[in-house]
Amino acid sequence: MPKQVLVYMSKEDESEFLDFLRGSSKMMILPATSPTSDFSRLDSLPDASQSEATRRFWLMNMAVDLPLVLIFPEQAGYYLIDGFQSPVIEFLRSYTISGIMLPGRLQADMNYFDTNQQDLVPKPKEFRRWYESMESWIRRGYKHLTFQTYAGPGAQKFQNDGGILH
C-alpha cells in the first residue's frame, strides 16, 4: 500500500522543502514524462499551473540501490516512470488559482514486485527512511489540518491573508 501526505505549499514552502531534500540526500528531480528514455534531471521547477507537466514530478534518491523502471505506452508516445517498481516518490505540487490553493502530495509505494522471487518485497530501508524523513520534516514544520494533510508556513500566510485552502 502506498504512503502519502497531502501538503499545501507556497512557492517559498516548496523551495525550503527542496533545499531540505538536497541537503539531506543525493536527490534528483525528474519530470513525469520524457520523449526519450533519458529522463533529464531538473535543477529547478517551472511555475506551477493547472498543467500536469508543471505540477507532477518524481523525486529520486540516488543512494537507493534499485533501478529506475520505465514504460513506453505506444498510444501516449512518451516514456513514463513506473513509480511502483522504481525508487521514486511522486511530488505533486500545490498551485493557486483565483485565490484558492489546491493541495499537492507526496506519495510513494513501499513495495515492488521482485521478478526473481515472484513476489512483492519491501523497497530498501534507505528508501523507506528517506520517505519517513520527508514526512517527519513536514510534521515538524507544517500545521496539521486533517488526517495526513498539512499546510506550510507560506500556505498558512496565504490563508491568513484571505486565500482559501481547498
Side-chain angles (χ1 to χ4, degrees), residues 8-63:
Y8 290 96
M9 289 184 177
S10 67
K11 190 169 182 72
E12 295 78 21
D13 295 334
E14 184 179 274
S15 292
E16 288 177 12
F17 174 67
L18 293 174
D19 287 345
F20 159 73
L21 291 178
R22 288 182 183 111
S24 66
S25 63
K26 296 179 187 176
M27 190 265 306
M28 283 190 355
I29 302 170
L30 301 172
T33 65
S34 176
T36 67
S37 61
D38 292 333
F39 271 73
S40 300
R41 168 188 220 152
L42 300 173
D43 293 324
S44 62
L45 297 176
D47 288 337
S49 70
Q50 289 179 328
S51 167
E52 187 173 304
T54 67
R55 293 193 62 221
R56 188 169 176 253
F57 297 89
W58 294 104
L59 305 175
M60 182 173 175
N61 186 335
M62 300 301 296

Side-chain angles (χ1 to χ4, degrees), residues 101-144:
M101 183 181 288
L102 299 171
R105 78 167 175 246
L106 294 169
Q107 180 175 314
D109 285 293
M110 294 296 145
N111 299 305
Y112 72 102
F113 185 77
D114 186 309
T115 53
N116 294 332
Q117 296 182 34
Q118 289 295 299
D119 201 4
L120 284 179
V121 296
K123 287 186 179 175
K125 62 184 166 197
E126 296 84 8
F127 179 80
R128 298 169 85 82
R129 285 186 194 139
W130 185 49
Y131 179 83
E132 289 164 4
S133 75
M134 289 182 209
E135 268 191 342
S136 178
W137 187 86
I138 288 168
R139 285 187 184 126
R140 280 193 316 270
Y142 284 31
K143 181 180 179 184
H144 183 237

Side-chain angles (χ1 to χ4, degrees), residues 87-100:
V88 293
I89 295 171
E90 182 185 41
F91 179 41
L92 184 65
R93 301 165 73 196
S94 299
Y95 82 98
T96 304
I97 184 167
S98 301
I100 298 172

